[in-house]
Amino acid sequence: MNKPNRLILIDGSAYIFRAYYALPPMSRKDGTPINAVFGFTNMLVKLIEDYQEDKMIVVFDAARKNFRNSIYPDYKANRGDTPEDLIPQFELIRQCVEAFNIKQLELDGYEADDIIASYTKLARNKKIDSLIVSSDKDLMQLVNKNVSMLDPMKNKSIGINQVIEKFGVEPKKVIFIQALTGDKIDNIPGASGIGPKTALELIKQYGDIDGLLKNAKNIKQEKRRKVILESEKEIRTSLELVKLKDNIDLPINIEEILSYTEIKKQNQKLFDFLNEQGFKSISDRLKNNSYIVKSAIIEKKESNQQNKYLLLNSKKILENVISNILNRGYCAIDTETNSLDIEEAKLVGISLCYDETYSYYIPINHLSKETSKKIEKQLDEDYVLEKLKVICENPSILKIGQNIKYDLRILNKYNISINSVADTMLMSYALDNGIIKHNMDDLAFNHLQHNTIKFKEIVGSGKNEITFDYVELNTAVDYAAEDALITLRLFNLLFPRVKKEKNEFIYREIDLPLIDVLSSMEKNGIKVDKDYLKKLSDEFEKESKSLEKKIYNLSKKEFNIGSPKQLGEILFLDLKILGGKKTKSGTFSTDSSTLNDLASRGYNIASFVLEWRELTKLKSTYTNALQEQVDKNNRVHTSYGLANTLTGRLSSNDPNLQNIPIRTENGKQIRHAFIPEKGYKIVSFDYSQIELRLAAEISKDINFINSFVEGEDIHSSTAKEIFRITDKD
């Protein structure tokens, strides 16, 4: 339950950049880039829905230079230029906040963080709690029992415990850690060579910066003692830079900052702004704002009472559900398995949903964590599959899925075919490609304002990760049944748009038919000559070892060639090669362009490192990895993505068969590992300048068309036209 009249402080500048880099490029009809605007607007709407009773203000940075530059002129000096397509979005985002009638503030000479710090202090004096909407580590020093943070992208709360978990110290001591470690991005010097671990040890031992510097001569480790003593000025300067100013004279009083319930909600100015940007889904969402908020509250209660997501382990109820689906003529379906690798995966359970009131999860093969034996209260697998077959193979029943190709392939392993399908992922791809992502979590958030249960939340990660068959039934029900219900809700929302916005042809005639084709291709896989791969891998290993010796001979010592840091030090410090450039992290750049430049200047060590990198990458990524991914028939099975690219082309994953090198001799050798079955051939098909041919057809330009008809090189033909020259010239 939100505390009323809490002060919500939105770190607008930080969120702009996060939204920009998180979302793919987007443009409105006049070509103006709007991906950051879209992300920011969505975030603002979500905050309004969740915190509409609380005071809300958006805070922005002013010009880059501020009072910290007078303390340290090089503060933030190494930050790169703002991306060109982000620059026009800053003003649009300010217009967005204005359209919502929400207060906003920026002050010359100060950063947004300082304004936020000043508001939290003012709010504390007025006995008002504050919530900072940001994940910026610099703001974590402000966290206390009255001030918390919210990462809006992860929907994650950050309190005292989370700050201690990140830094190892309580929030008020965070600045001491930062003063010692510095910050490469903001160009805060810190103490050279002092990392987070060492900084934590020192602050735990000496309490704060003053205590550390007073006792620096007593530090036992000679190197550490020397660094602290020599870096006293830099440490004190860094402390001034990282400490937030909390006594700014604020031009907007807290009393002037209103909650959204006190602001006129649906004004024409707001909808004009949304329509101008093309944010139709956000506009529709706001027009139904009161319904959405009420609906979200009801949904949460129902989920807690487990009367929306239902465990189905009764034959009688399953038969009743199947009967209802047959009467309805459609259902959402989702499978749960013990692996994301379709070739290895076994069915664990199935979710079904045929209206937006209830969703059912049928557990089949859940196991006990203690005994690894099948737990009770589950229906027999054969019985469930027999009942499921009735609806899956009935062409009059529409089966709705989110990336239904996966479910189709899983059920196909159990001799169940699915015909008559719909796919919400592909609907989104046909409608909004380049605007939003098309996975379940993003679609639920963007279209339904619903935060789904995340897969990692229930299976864990790292050494604690379990497979889905070991997830407890109550947890599995909420996760799996939610997927089916959200899928049905998305279908009810997106399919009318598909028909209305004339994208039905792309969806129904191009994307949907590919599901069966790609499923068949994935299932068949492609044959690999495993012995050839083994031989090639051995050759690459031998060649890379030979290159290592050559590199060590030139460097006069052995080092980790795969470490950019160590390689940079060898090239530009030990060998004193001129022209070394440092990255933002402070290490020398050793990327391919740098090494190619050195190689062109006659430095053999750079040429050898480039060859070594190619060989070791080919060996680890292809010759070794492909051997491990072949099945008993010596075939590898990739997964083709239908909705992963902006251009409409397919993608290939696990393994990626699209990026196998072709330009180098070593890369070409790997392609020889793919072989046809006896009596078959492998044939390569590719479009020849398909975009230009389409442009010629659309433009009806005679010279353009004739160039293709005559088989001429289109670039040469164009040059001849522009410069009015002939072949004789």
Side-chain angles (χ1 to χ4, degrees):
M1 186 79 180
N2 296 329
K3 290 180 91 171
N5 301 317
R6 177 166 39 178
L7 180 61
I8 311 295
L9 296 156
I10 302 169
D11 183 1
S13 295
Y15 195 85
I16 290 172
F17 283 92
R18 289 192 75 191
Y20 173 79
Y21 288 110
L23 293 173
M26 296 165 53
S27 297
R28 65 187 192 189
K29 290 181 179 179
D30 64 359
T32 302
I34 52 167
N35 61 328
V37 185
F38 180 79
F40 187 93
T41 309
N42 251 330
M43 179 272 293
L44 203 55
V45 173
K46 183 69 170 64
L47 289 173
I48 287 168
E49 291 170 351
D50 291 346
Y51 302 100
Q52 58 184 284
E53 300 296 330
D54 297 313
K55 296 172 177 293
M56 192 175 294
I57 185 170
V58 182
V59 183
F60 295 106
D61 289 328
R64 177 167 290 185
K65 289 191 178 297
N66 55 71
F67 75 91
R68 290 180 175 83
N69 294 100
S70 62
I71 298 171
Y72 187 66
D74 290 334
Y75 177 65
K76 291 191 176 181
N78 60 3
R79 284 206 171 184
D81 294 333
T82 302
E84 286 188 17
D85 59 336
L86 178 56
I87 293 172
Q89 300 191 61
F90 288 115
E91 179 56 30
L92 285 175
I93 286 170
R94 284 171 172 78
Q95 291 177 23
C96 168
V97 179
E98 184 182 349
F100 276 96
N101 282 332
I102 293 173
K103 295 287 186 184
Q104 57 183 302
L105 181 62
E106 60 184 84
L107 292 174
D108 287 339
Y110 299 102
E111 296 183 65
D113 293 0
D114 301 304
I115 300 173
I116 289 172
S118 297
Y119 269 120
T120 60
K121 183 178 179 180
L122 185 61
R124 186 173 66 249
N125 293 337
K126 293 178 178 291
K127 296 185 171 19
I128 298 174
D129 288 352
S130 299
L131 176 67
I132 302 168
V133 181
S134 177
S135 62
D136 189 346
K137 67 182 187 301
D138 296 335
L139 287 163
M140 292 182 184
Q141 61 185 272
L142 301 175
V143 171
N144 56 48
K145 65 179 182 178
N146 303 112
V147 180
S148 59
M149 293 176 63
L150 172 71
D151 182 342
M153 282 200 161
K154 297 180 180 178
N155 198 30
K156 177 184 176 183
S157 295
I158 301 169
I160 295 173
N161 291 336
Q162 287 71 35
V163 176
I164 293 173
E165 185 180 335
K166 180 176 179 62
F167 287 97
V169 294
E170 57 190 308
K172 66 181 180 181
K173 291 191 175 186
V174 164
I175 55 174
F176 304 142
I177 302 291
Q178 292 177 307
L180 289 171
T181 58
D183 190 320
K184 300 294 184 186
I185 296 174
D186 287 345
N187 205 31
I188 296 173
S192 178
I194 299 294
K197 185 177 179 182
T198 304
L200 178 59
E201 290 176 10
L202 292 170
I203 296 304
K204 280 189 172 181
Q205 185 174 358
Y206 297 106
D208 57 23
I209 295 300
D210 284 337
L212 169 64
L213 294 175
K214 282 179 183 177
N215 295 281
K217 293 180 180 179
N218 302 324
I219 297 174
K220 294 179 180 180
Q221 298 91 335
E222 182 181 351
K223 183 179 178 182
R224 189 179 295 183
R225 180 174 66 250
K226 184 179 179 184
V227 167
I228 298 299
L229 288 170
E230 291 179 351
S231 304
E232 179 175 353
K233 181 181 177 182
E234 287 80 6
I235 293 170
R236 291 199 180 278
T237 298
S238 298
L239 184 60
E240 285 189 71
L241 294 174
V242 299
K243 187 176 182 180
L244 300 181
K245 190 175 283 293
D246 63 1
N247 57 354
I248 300 173
D249 185 14
L250 298 167
I252 302 176
N253 294 325
I254 287 182
E255 289 74 16
E256 298 176 65
I257 303 173
L258 304 176
S259 67
Y260 198 67
T261 54
E262 297 171 292
I263 298 171
K264 185 180 178 183
K265 289 185 182 179
Q266 298 181 7
N267 58 79
Q268 192 56 45
K269 180 180 175 183
L270 170 58
F271 293 116
D272 287 346
F273 172 82
L274 295 173
N275 292 335
E276 185 180 354
Q277 313 316 313
F279 297 161
K280 186 177 184 299
S281 60
I282 298 177
S283 181
D284 291 344
R285 173 177 167 183
L286 280 170
K287 286 174 183 175
N288 297 302
N289 181 264
S290 60
Y291 167 77
I292 291 171
V293 175
K294 181 180 176 183
S295 193
I297 294 170
I298 292 171
E299 181 177 329
K300 187 174 181 181
K301 287 180 179 177
E302 287 182 342
S303 178
N304 289 337
Q305 296 168 6
Q306 293 187 335
N307 62 355
K308 193 177 190 73
Y309 305 137
L310 303 175
L311 174 69
L312 202 168
N313 57 2
S314 157
K315 288 185 176 181
K316 182 177 180 181
I317 295 176
L318 176 58
E319 288 169 6
N320 186 51
V321 167
I322 297 296
S323 176
N324 287 339
I325 290 172
L326 289 170
N327 289 331
R328 291 284 183 113
Y330 61 85
C331 71
I333 185 168
D334 184 57
T335 57
E336 301 299 340
T337 60
N338 64 350
S339 172
L340 295 179
D341 181 349
I342 295 179
E343 307 310 317
E344 301 293 329
K346 294 182 180 178
L347 194 61
V348 175
I350 298 160
S351 299
L352 296 171
C353 181
Y354 55 86
D355 66 30
E356 295 188 18
T357 307
Y358 302 108
S359 184
Y360 302 88
Y361 178 59
I362 311 164
I364 298 173
N365 289 312
H366 280 266
L367 306 175
S368 165
K369 289 182 182 179
E370 290 75 26
T371 65
S372 293
K373 292 182 179 179
K374 184 174 177 179
I375 63 174
E376 297 178 357
K377 298 182 181 179
Q378 297 181 93
L379 292 175
D380 177 71
E381 178 181 281
D382 290 338
Y383 171 79
V384 173
L385 293 175
E386 178 189 343
K387 295 299 178 183
L388 201 64
K389 200 166 190 173
V390 173
I391 56 174
C392 286
E393 297 187 354
N394 186 335
S396 66
I397 306 297
L398 181 68
K399 276 70 66 176
I400 306 161
Q402 165 71 16
N403 188 21
I404 202 168
K405 175 164 66 68
Y406 181 88
D407 307 291
L408 188 152
R409 286 212 57 210
I410 291 296
L411 291 174
N412 187 251
K413 293 173 66 173
Y414 293 83
N415 297 316
I416 293 178
S417 59
I418 303 182
N419 51 45
S420 185
V421 300
D423 193 321
T424 50
M425 179 184 74
L426 296 183
M427 289 178 192
S428 175
Y429 191 59
L431 288 165
D432 299 320
N433 189 25
I435 298 177
I436 59 175
K437 296 177 182 177
H438 312 290
N439 59 73
M440 168 75 77
D441 294 341
D442 283 291
L443 292 180
F445 180 80
N446 284 304
H447 292 298
L448 306 173
Q449 297 74 59
H450 178 86
N451 282 305
T452 56
I453 302 168
K454 307 302 185 288
F455 186 69
K456 287 293 181 183
E457 291 176 11
I458 62 168
V459 299
S461 58
K463 64 180 181 180
N464 297 320
E465 185 172 355
I466 59 175
T467 49
F468 197 83
D469 47 346
Y470 284 98
V471 173
E472 293 182 358
L473 281 188
N474 287 341
T475 304
V477 168
D478 282 350
Y479 171 80
E482 179 188 64
D483 277 0
L485 183 121
I486 293 297
T487 298
L488 182 61
R489 290 183 65 190
L490 287 170
F491 174 80
N492 290 337
L493 181 75
L494 296 177
F495 189 61
R497 279 186 61 200
V498 169
K499 298 180 76 173
K500 183 179 178 182
E501 297 179 26
K502 299 181 180 179
N503 289 294
E504 191 170 11
F505 178 83
I506 295 171
Y507 166 70
R508 193 180 294 280
E509 302 299 328
I510 297 177
D511 290 341
L512 269 185
L514 274 175
I515 293 176
D516 283 330
V517 175
L518 296 179
S519 295
S520 178
M521 289 171 62
E522 290 178 3
K523 182 180 178 181
N524 291 336
I526 184 168
K527 194 167 187 178
V528 171
D529 188 335
K530 197 172 180 179
D531 293 335
Y532 174 80
L533 281 175
K534 175 68 170 64
K535 178 184 174 184
L536 199 57
S537 192
D538 292 341
E539 289 177 6
F540 288 168
E541 175 74 11
K542 185 178 178 181
E543 289 178 46
S544 63
K545 291 294 182 186
S546 175
L547 285 166
E548 283 179 15
K549 290 179 180 179
K550 293 179 181 179
I551 292 167
Y552 295 149
N553 284 336
L554 292 171
S555 65
K556 307 300 182 186
K557 65 179 180 182
E558 293 188 7
F559 65 99
N560 181 0
I561 303 171
S563 165
K565 183 177 184 293
Q566 292 184 35
L567 176 61
E569 290 171 354
I570 290 289
L571 294 175
F572 302 111
L573 296 181
D574 294 4
L575 298 180
K576 302 188 186 319
I577 296 174
L578 299 177
K581 294 181 180 179
K582 288 192 174 183
T583 64
K584 289 182 180 179
S585 64
T587 59
F588 286 104
S589 173
T590 56
D591 59 14
S592 58
S593 62
T594 299
L595 294 180
N596 277 314
D597 177 61
L598 295 180
S600 68
R601 288 160 53 190
Y603 291 102
N604 288 333
I605 189 171
S607 300
F608 294 151
V609 170
L610 285 168
E611 289 182 58
W612 180 88
R613 280 184 179 177
E614 183 197 14
L615 287 169
T616 53
K617 182 178 180 180
L618 291 175
K619 183 174 180 292
S620 62
T621 308
Y622 297 107
T623 58
N624 284 358
L626 286 171
Q627 289 182 69
E628 297 171 0
Q629 291 175 301
V630 297
D631 64 11
K632 61 183 179 181
N633 298 314
N634 285 334
R635 302 180 81 86
V636 293
H637 304 266
T638 187
S639 174
Y640 294 105
L642 270 161
N644 295 336
T645 67
L646 290 173
T647 59
R649 67 172 176 80
L650 298 174
S651 64
S652 168
N653 295 289
D654 301 323
N656 185 340
L657 300 183
Q658 286 182 320
N659 289 350
I660 296 174
I662 194 172
R663 294 180 181 176
T664 64
E665 288 305 315
N666 289 327
K668 289 177 182 177
Q669 289 186 74
I670 294 174
R671 293 181 173 246
H672 293 305
F674 297 94
I675 56 176
E677 289 285 3
K678 189 175 180 179
Y680 291 83
K681 290 183 179 180
I682 294 178
V683 182
S684 174
F685 293 94
D686 195 6
Y687 290 114
S688 171
Q689 300 176 320
I690 184 63
E691 295 91 348
L692 291 175
R693 291 177 187 271
L694 286 170
E697 174 64 25
I698 294 167
S699 68
K700 304 297 182 185
D701 184 278
I702 300 299
N703 294 325
F704 208 175
I705 294 171
N706 285 341
S707 294
F708 284 116
V709 172
E710 300 297 329
E712 297 177 359
D713 178 80
I714 188 64
H715 303 291
S716 298
S717 300
T718 304
K720 290 174 190 175
E721 287 290 329
I722 292 173
F723 297 108
R724 300 185 183 280
I725 59 176
T726 64
D727 291 333
K728 294 179 181 180
D729 297 326

